Amino acid sequence: MSDILHQNILNDVSGGTLYVASGKINYANPAAEKIFNKTAAEMLNQPFAKIFVDYAENDDFNQIIIDVIEDYSRTHENIVQYFDGKNFKYLHMKTSYLRNKTEKLGILILIDDITEVLKLCGVELSLQKIKELNTQLETRTK
């Protein structure tokens, strides 16, 4: 019962949610499908690195995710550029690590498409600006 309740809650949240365990995507909610322009069926049980390598424009996005998967020691928060095959999007991602007392269970990745918010705020959308914003996030986290 509890698993069904949790899945229903995650299906209804407006932000994208991915659960990655052992390097594979085990869950993707409808918001993640929309953000990434991929169906859950295309993503589930696939190695994370295999799913998002379609476009060279996503190299920075992929590197951040690989860093997250390899480094369970801290929470990661980044803004990344993502190309979904049609449009460039700017995503705010935050990770949370799921563990029990003796082992790492997986990573919960929360994603918000902030493209329109940045445009409305007049923020210049560029890779350089993303790096500046990430520096600010890192400073805030410390």
Side-chain angles (χ1 to χ4, degrees):
M1 178 73 171
S2 176
D3 288 342
I4 293 170
L5 176 62
H6 290 126
Q7 187 167 352
N8 286 338
I9 291 169
L10 291 173
N11 282 341
D12 288 341
V13 297
S14 62
T17 305
L18 297 175
Y19 175 65
V20 179
S22 302
K24 293 185 178 182
I25 298 173
N26 288 288
Y27 174 79
N29 73 346
E33 291 178 300
K34 183 178 178 185
I35 288 169
F36 295 117
N37 197 27
K38 295 183 181 294
T39 66
E42 291 175 284
M43 294 186 276
L44 294 181
N45 299 312
Q46 298 295 317
F48 196 98
K50 180 180 175 183
I51 299 302
F52 301 104
V53 296
D54 299 342
Y55 306 101
E57 293 90 346
N58 293 335
D59 287 349
D60 287 343
F61 168 79
N62 286 324
Q63 186 58 54
I64 289 170
I65 296 301
I66 289 167
D67 292 347
V68 167
I69 290 171
E70 291 178 353
D71 182 8
Y72 274 78
S73 65
R74 66 183 182 91
T75 297
H76 294 260
E77 183 174 12
N78 296 90
I79 295 172
V80 296
Q81 176 180 279
Y82 180 80
F83 183 64
D84 70 3
K86 297 177 185 174
N87 301 298
F88 281 97
K89 297 177 179 182
Y90 295 87
L91 309 177
H92 175 254
M93 298 189 326
K94 191 164 186 176
T95 62
S96 181
Y97 302 96
L98 304 177
R99 309 171 196 213
N100 65 19
K101 292 180 181 179
T102 60
E103 65 183 327
K104 303 169 191 170
L105 300 175
I107 303 163
L108 191 62
I109 303 171
L110 307 173
I111 308 120
D112 288 304
D113 183 346
I114 60 169
T115 307
E116 293 305 316
V117 172
L118 292 175
K119 285 179 183 177
L120 288 171
C121 291
V123 174
E124 173 192 339
L125 301 178
S126 68
L127 289 176
Q128 180 59 36
K129 188 61 179 177
I130 289 173
K131 289 178 183 179
E132 291 171 16
L133 292 170
N134 282 328
T135 300
Q136 292 173 7
L137 285 172
E138 189 174 319
T139 302
R140 184 185 76 180
T141 302
K142 289 178 182 177

